[in-house]
Amino acid sequence: MATHDELTESLKAFTDSYNKNERLKVMNRDWNRVVVVKANDIESLHTLTVAGGVVSMREGASDQPDLTVISNSETLADMFYGDITPTEPYNNGTLRIMGSEDDIVRLDFISLMIWGE
Amino acid sequence: MNSLQLKKVLTLRTIVATSAGLCLASSSFVAATMVANYVLGDTAWIAILIGGALCFLAAACFSELNGILPTAAGIRLYFSRAFNDQVSITVSLVYMLIVVLGVVGVESYILSRVLNEAFPAIPPYAWIVVMLSLVTAMNLRGIKLAGVFQDVVTYSLLAVLVSIGVFALYKTGFQLEAPLSPGGAVGVVQAVAVGVFLFVGFEWVTPLVEEVTQVKQISRGMMIALGVLSVVYAIFTVAMTAVVPKEALLAAPAPQLLFARTILGDFGASLMIVVILATSLKTFNAGIISVSRFMYSSAREHVLPAVFSRVSTRYFTPWVSILALFAIGLTVSALTLATNRYMALVNLAAAVTSIVYALVGLAVISLRHRMPEEPRPYLIPCGYLIPVLTTLVFAFLAVALLASNLWVLAYLSVSLMVCLVYVNTAVPYLKKKHQARRPAARRRPSRAAEGVEGK
C-alpha cells in the first residue's frame, strides 16, 4: 500500500514530465479538463487540472470533475510514475476511470507519450 | 465515489438510442428476410419476438456483470475474471474479428448493390471504397457525431421503419392468416437463431457505464432498446413478407429497398436509399470506433503488436489501427462482392454472438462463486435460473446454426484455431519482448532508499 505522500510525489512526477513536453502542451491546448484521482484503499484525493495545455496538481477533490480515476494506492503510484501502463490495471479491473470514452482514451495517450510503451 | 459527480452524464434517451442504433444495420433486413424464410406464412414475428425475448435473458446477464465490473473493457474483463486471461483474449479476438468483419462485409455488399442500382454507371466496389474512405477519414480526424444528432438519427430511422411497415399493412388490408402456426421445430429454431443477428450489438452500450450516474440506467436502456427493436423488426418484417413474395426478398441484396419500392414507388425507393445510407454509415462508424479502440487497447497490453498503439499527435486517434481496419474492410468487402456469400457472414456472426451470450451466462454463474461478496447493483432475480437458461438456450442456438451450415462451422473453426495459435505463441512472444525493452530500474523511488515506511 502506498502512502498519500507517495501518491502526491507520483502525481508531481507525472505533472512535471507532462509540462516539460512542449508537444503535449500544444496538443492539449484546447482540452481543458478536471481529473480527480482517488485511492480506494487509503484516504487520498488529488485533482489534476488541464488548462491551456498546462497541467497543475493539488491535493483534495474537485466538485464536478470531467474524469475520475479510481484504484488502489500502489497501482496509482506505479501508474503515475510510468512503471506500469494504465491499460493493464484497467483491463484486469483494478483501475476504474469514470468519464467520457474520448477523455479516457486521451488520458491513456498522454501517459503513452510521456512514458512510452 | 458517489460523491464525485461527473460534469457530463448520459441520459436514458441516449443509452436507448445507442443500444438500438448499434443493432440497426442495413444487413439486419437481410437477416429478417432469412428469418421469414425459415417459418411458414406470416409468422416471422413469432421468431423475432422469441429472439428478442432470448436477448432479454442475455441483457440481464450483461447487466449483472456490468454492475460488478463497470468497465469499458466489457467481455475482455468479465471473461478474464470468470474464466482466465487466455479464454478472455481468445474469445474477445474471435468476437471482434467475426462480428465486425461479418457486419462490414454484409453491410458493404448491400450498400454497394443499392447504390449501384441507383447509379448504374459507377461500379459497386467504387461505392465501398468511397464509403469506407469517408468513415476512415472521419475516424482519423477524430470527428464524432454529437450525441443529440445520433439520437435524432436513430429515433427517426425507427419511426420511418414503423411508419412504412404500418402503412404497408394498412394498404394491403393485412390480416394474420395462421398467426400461431410457424411450421416445424427445425425451421423455428433456425429462424430464432438467425433472429439473434437482428439484435447483435445491443450490449455494446455497456462501455458507457463510465458515463452514467447509475449502473442500472445501462440495464434499463438495453431492455428498452430490445423491446423497441423487437416490435419494429416484427412489424417491418411481417409487412415486407405481406407485400413482396419471400423468394423475391431472399434474392434481393437489399430486401427493404424492394419492399419500399413496391409499396411507395420511386418515393419509397429514394426514402429507403437514404435510410440504408444512414444506417450503413452509422454501422461502419460504430464498427471502426469500437474495433480500433479495442486494437489500440490490446496493443497497449501487448496482445497485439505495438505498432497498433501508435497515436496521431495531431488528432489523438489510433491511426495505425484505423488504417489497418480500412484495409481489412476493403479486403472483406471485395471478397464478399466476388463470392456473393454474404448470407454465410450473417450466419457466422449470429453463431459467434450466440456462443458469446452462452459464455456470458456462464460468467455470471462463475462470478457468483468467485466474487460472492462483491456488491451487485443489478442482481438477476430467480437465482441461477436465468444465467443457466441463457447458457443452455444460446449454446443450443449456436449448435443448431453450425450444424445446419457446414461452411459456417468451417469458417468458425479456422478462426478459432488461428486465434488460439496466436494467443499461445505470438502473445507470449510480444509480452516477453516488451519485458526485455522495459527500463531495468523502476522510476518510482524505492521505499527503503527513501526511508518511507508503507502502511
Side-chain angles (χ1 to χ4, degrees):
Chain A
M1 199 181 287
T3 62
H4 174 76
D5 289 344
E6 278 181 288
L7 263 180
T8 308
E9 287 306 313
S10 73
L11 284 161
K12 270 186 195 159
F14 178 83
T15 307
D16 290 347
S17 303
Y18 175 98
N19 287 332
K20 278 180 202 155
N21 191 323
E22 290 304 320
R23 204 161 153 199
L24 262 178
K25 285 202 275 190
V26 172
M27 284 163 70
N28 288 322
R29 63 177 175 250
D30 299 323
W31 193 67
N32 296 327
R33 294 291 187 275
V34 175
V35 183
V36 165
V37 180
K38 183 184 188 316
N40 55 15
D41 54 347
I42 58 167
E43 280 295 318
S44 178
L45 278 162
H46 292 84
T47 301
L48 292 172
T49 307
V50 189
V54 177
V55 180
S56 59
M57 188 271 290
R58 68 175 173 82
E59 293 182 40
S62 169
D63 278 347
Q64 278 198 314
D66 298 285
L67 281 159
T68 307
V69 179
I70 305 159
S71 189
N72 61 58
S73 52
E74 272 296 309
T75 303
L76 289 174
D78 281 345
M79 196 173 77
F80 284 106
Y81 269 118
D83 286 329
I84 58 169
T85 71
T87 314
E88 285 168 63
Y90 185 76
N91 279 351
N92 69 30
T94 316
L95 171 69
R96 191 175 169 206
I97 309 179
M98 294 169 73
S100 87
E101 199 190 352
D102 282 353
D103 286 347
I104 294 172
V105 172
R106 185 176 294 222
L107 204 57
D108 188 54
F109 288 170
I110 292 171
S111 150
L112 176 66
M113 290 189 68
I114 293 176
W115 305 121
E117 289 166 25
Chain B
M1 186 172 72
N2 291 335
S3 59
L4 297 170
Q5 290 294 323
L6 293 175
K7 210 179 276 178
K8 287 186 208 164
V9 287
L10 294 178
T11 61
L12 185 63
R13 184 198 69 202
T14 299
I15 296 165
V16 174
T18 308
S19 182
L22 286 166
C23 302
L24 206 59
S26 298
S27 46
S28 303
F29 301 95
V30 173
T33 308
M34 289 162 76
V35 170
N37 190 51
Y38 282 125
V39 288
L40 292 180
D42 46 28
T43 56
W45 64 275
I46 297 177
I48 291 171
L49 293 186
I50 293 174
L54 295 180
C55 287
F56 261 94
L57 299 178
C61 294
F62 273 108
S63 298
E64 183 165 326
L65 295 173
N66 196 39
I68 316 169
L69 303 163
T71 166
I75 58 167
R76 173 76 185 84
L77 176 57
Y78 308 155
F79 293 170
S80 167
R81 286 288 179 92
F83 312 117
N84 60 49
D85 212 39
Q86 203 179 26
V87 171
S88 166
I89 297 173
T90 309
V91 175
S92 304
L93 284 175
V94 172
Y95 189 44
M96 281 286 170
L97 192 75
I98 290 183
V99 170
V100 173
L101 294 188
V103 171
V104 166
V106 183
E107 207 70 10
S108 54
Y109 181 85
I110 294 167
L111 195 62
S112 60
R113 289 288 180 199
V114 166
L115 292 175
N116 182 242
E117 203 178 307
F119 308 96
I122 301 171
Y125 194 64
W127 286 114
I128 296 176
V129 176
V130 170
M131 288 301 172
L132 282 177
S133 302
L134 178 70
V135 177
T136 302
M138 277 172 63
N139 272 275
L140 284 174
R141 292 286 305 262
I143 299 169
K144 284 186 86 173
L145 300 177
V148 176
F149 182 74
Q150 285 208 59
D151 291 2
V152 170
V153 169
T154 304
Y155 289 120
S156 304
L157 285 173
L158 291 169
V160 167
L161 293 174
V162 170
S163 305
I164 297 179
V166 170
F167 176 73
L169 293 174
Y170 170 75
K171 197 178 169 187
T172 53
F174 177 77
Q175 282 190 324
L176 285 172
E177 285 170 6
L180 296 172
S181 307
V186 174
V188 175
V189 168
Q190 284 184 323
V192 172
V194 176
V196 168
F197 181 85
L198 297 174
F199 305 97
V200 164
F202 78 86
E203 79 283 6
W204 288 17
V205 77
T206 52
L208 297 183
V209 68
E210 283 152 347
E211 297 178 59
V212 296
T213 44
Q214 290 180 321
V215 174
K216 276 188 176 178
Q217 268 189 312
I218 297 284
S219 321
R220 208 171 294 142
M222 277 195 293
M223 304 288 184
I224 295 172
L226 281 173
V228 170
L229 283 171
S230 301
V231 173
V232 172
Y233 281 138
I235 291 173
F236 196 82
T237 308
V238 171
M240 279 202 299
T241 53
V243 172
V244 185
K246 286 181 190 175
E247 299 72 33
L249 287 171
L250 263 185
Q256 66 270 47
L257 179 62
L258 176 62
F259 163 63
R261 178 173 283 131
T262 309
I263 198 76
L264 291 169
D266 285 344
F267 167 73
S270 305
L271 180 65
M272 196 49 75
I273 287 174
V274 173
V275 168
I276 290 170
L277 263 173
T279 44
S280 292
L281 275 177
K282 196 169 53 57
T283 306
F284 283 147
N285 196 41
I288 288 189
I289 288 176
S290 314
V291 184
S292 63
R293 298 291 185 265
F294 172 77
M295 287 168 76
Y296 167 81
S297 146
S298 302
R300 288 283 276 143
E301 61 167 339
H302 319 292
V303 165
L304 287 179
V307 68
F308 292 110
S309 67
R310 293 242 173 107
V311 172
S312 155
T313 51
R314 192 163 176 200
Y315 302 114
F316 275 105
T317 48
W319 66 274
V320 175
S321 296
I322 293 171
L323 286 182
L325 276 174
F326 175 63
I328 295 169
L330 286 180
T331 310
V332 172
S333 306
L335 287 173
T336 315
L337 213 56
T339 59
N340 286 324
R341 295 186 74 90
Y342 63 101
M343 288 196 185
L345 288 175
V346 172
N347 283 317
L348 188 60
V352 172
T353 305
S354 293
I355 291 169
V356 169
Y357 291 175
L359 288 172
V360 163
L362 274 182
V364 171
I365 298 166
S366 166
L367 289 180
R368 283 190 186 176
H369 287 283
R370 290 185 182 209
M371 300 166 71
E373 303 301 325
E374 202 69 25
R376 284 170 166 74
Y378 180 93
L379 179 66
I380 305 172
C382 310
Y384 285 100
L385 180 67
I386 291 177
V388 169
L389 259 180
T390 307
T391 302
L392 293 178
V393 166
F394 282 102
F396 174 69
L397 290 179
V399 170
L401 260 176
L402 295 173
S404 59
N405 297 279
L406 292 180
W407 272 108
V408 174
L409 179 63
Y411 288 146
L412 181 60
S413 306
V414 170
S415 309
L416 194 61
M417 284 302 291
V418 169
C419 284
L420 267 175
V421 170
Y422 179 83
V423 170
N424 283 301
T425 56
V427 174
Y429 168 76
L430 290 172
K431 287 193 184 279
K432 208 170 155 186
K433 198 172 145 191
H434 168 70
Q435 285 295 335
R437 276 204 319 227
R438 281 180 79 164
R442 278 161 53 96
R443 296 183 185 100
R444 186 176 162 190
S446 86
R447 282 181 198 165
E450 300 279 318
V452 178
E453 282 184 26
K455 284 184 183 181

